[in-house]
Amino acid sequence: MSERRIPFLKMNGLGNDFVVWDAREAPVRLDRQAIRRIGARDGGIGFDQMITVERSPGGADAFMRIHNRDGGEVDACGNATRCIGRLLMEESGNAAATIETNAGLLKASATGDARRVTVDMGRPRFAWNEIPLAEEFHDTRAIELQIGPIDAPILHTPSVVNVGNPHAIFWVRDLDAYDLSRIGPMLENHPMFPERANISLAHVLSGDEVEVRVWERGVGLTQACGTAACAVGVAAARDRRTGRKVRVHLPGGPLDIEWRESDDHILMTGDTEVEFEGLLDPETLTFEKTAPGDRPILEVVR
């Protein structure tokens, strides 16, 4: 191993997992290929997103840089924001933390439970060119988009919204009736979405509960996606399917979403978990755990 090994933290929010680097004192630079290799579930550290905590140019407590497992940089990740908010609050001893992202300034707040964090995700954007879409739609609560035969489409008429990244939500009666692993890639890369999109299937259980499955842009099927939960909560309330407070059930667990009426900000609350600490050799991309975990002590990226 090289002399300079980079410490990291493995965390997750409802199974949506991250490797976290603290780059406030020394930069951490990994190219797209390296991110893919260490992000791989088979042989790598394994994660949905790579999070780099940097000094904030705008004076926030930190700047959060986000890369998906495919190596592409993205602007927002709700579950990661909760995890980084927890770390910053534990570090400072304060009950709140401000986090600068490419999607804007976000605020994390303590809930009284160290593992449970609330994040103000800001206001959603509904204009077609803010999402963005490839063509103009005046009403983005339901746009003209379908896959499958014209007379019997598999999915159609999604709600679309941007909550730091683009989302399309298809309202269905039975989540298990669709193979999202097959449909998701087609929809993520549909020409309607010039920046690609996160794809959700949503089933309304009641006026304050929704069940969701997510195909995340640049990641694939995921146990949880915070921005998708926010997008579903807002889209459901906007279309009067639910109220402004809703519990979104994801495979990894629930997130509580409030689309606050006073200022239209989205509040997301949910659990966070620290899995283990480790050290990565940037030359060989081997890593070693330095705290108990469920993987072998040393793994080699192949």
Side-chain angles (χ1 to χ4, degrees):
M1 283 197 173
S2 65
E3 293 183 2
R4 182 177 177 266
R5 293 189 293 169
I6 310 171
F8 68 87
L9 194 64
K10 180 73 185 296
M11 299 187 73
N12 79 77
L14 305 181
N16 181 193
D17 59 345
F18 321 101
V19 64
V20 180
W21 315 103
D22 185 349
R24 290 173 294 180
E25 297 299 331
V28 176
R29 296 189 178 94
L30 296 170
D31 62 25
R32 194 168 189 138
Q33 183 180 7
I35 294 170
R36 288 175 173 172
R37 288 177 63 188
I38 64 175
R41 300 289 180 189
D42 181 12
I45 299 172
F47 54 76
D48 289 331
Q49 280 85 25
M50 183 182 87
I51 309 300
T52 310
V53 181
E54 304 172 4
R55 290 188 180 276
S56 166
D61 292 312
F63 177 87
M64 182 175 72
R65 191 174 303 280
I66 310 160
H67 287 84
N68 280 339
R69 190 168 61 228
D70 68 356
E73 186 172 354
V74 294
D75 293 339
C77 178
N79 285 323
T81 304
R82 288 188 296 103
C83 287
I84 300 307
R86 170 183 170 176
L87 295 179
L88 293 172
M89 287 187 286
E90 288 179 350
E91 181 180 65
S92 68
N94 296 328
T98 54
I99 303 167
E100 185 178 352
T101 71
N102 288 331
L105 194 65
L106 304 176
K107 181 180 179 181
S109 302
T111 63
D113 178 340
R115 293 181 53 178
R116 194 166 172 80
V117 177
T118 297
V119 172
D120 183 339
M121 297 292 292
R123 295 184 180 92
R125 290 176 285 174
F126 301 116
W128 71 274
N129 58 337
E130 292 178 327
I131 290 168
L133 302 176
E135 61 183 85
E136 183 175 357
F137 286 91
H138 293 294
D139 187 353
T140 52
R141 288 176 296 181
I143 67 168
E144 295 178 14
L145 173 66
Q146 67 180 44
I147 59 168
I150 295 177
D151 56 346
I154 299 171
L155 290 170
H156 62 89
T157 326
S159 303
V160 289
V161 57
N162 187 302
V163 288
N165 45 31
H167 287 266
I169 302 104
F170 292 86
W171 305 100
V172 300
R173 293 183 179 181
D174 182 3
L175 297 178
D176 295 329
Y178 303 89
D179 184 358
L180 191 54
S181 64
R182 182 177 65 85
I183 298 170
M186 292 188 288
L187 288 166
E188 174 192 347
N189 295 284
H190 193 282
M192 182 61 74
F193 306 115
E195 296 181 6
R196 299 184 293 157
N198 298 276
I199 307 301
S200 293
L201 303 180
H203 171 59
V204 177
L205 300 172
S206 68
D208 58 6
E209 288 189 285
V210 184
E211 188 179 14
V212 178
R213 298 290 181 271
V214 183
W215 176 272
E216 189 167 359
R217 178 183 63 169
V219 175
L221 291 175
T222 183
Q223 288 294 298
C225 176
T227 57
C230 292
V232 168
V234 167
R238 190 181 181 216
D239 205 26
R240 300 182 184 275
R241 297 174 187 268
T242 67
R244 281 181 168 253
K245 292 183 179 181
V246 65
R247 174 160 285 192
V248 177
H249 296 276
L250 296 144
L255 285 170
D256 292 323
I257 306 299
E258 178 184 358
W259 186 21
R260 194 163 56 195
E261 192 166 6
S262 61
D263 59 5
D264 277 343
H265 280 223
I266 308 167
L267 303 180
M268 176 185 60
T269 304
D271 289 345
T272 64
E273 181 183 7
V274 176
E275 296 183 20
F276 60 85
E277 299 175 10
L279 294 168
L280 177 81
D281 185 321
E283 294 181 5
T284 63
L285 299 184
T286 56
F287 70 94
E288 180 182 0
K289 289 187 178 182
T290 56
D294 58 358
R295 292 173 180 267
I297 294 301
L298 184 65
E299 295 186 1
V300 179
V301 178
R302 299 186 184 278

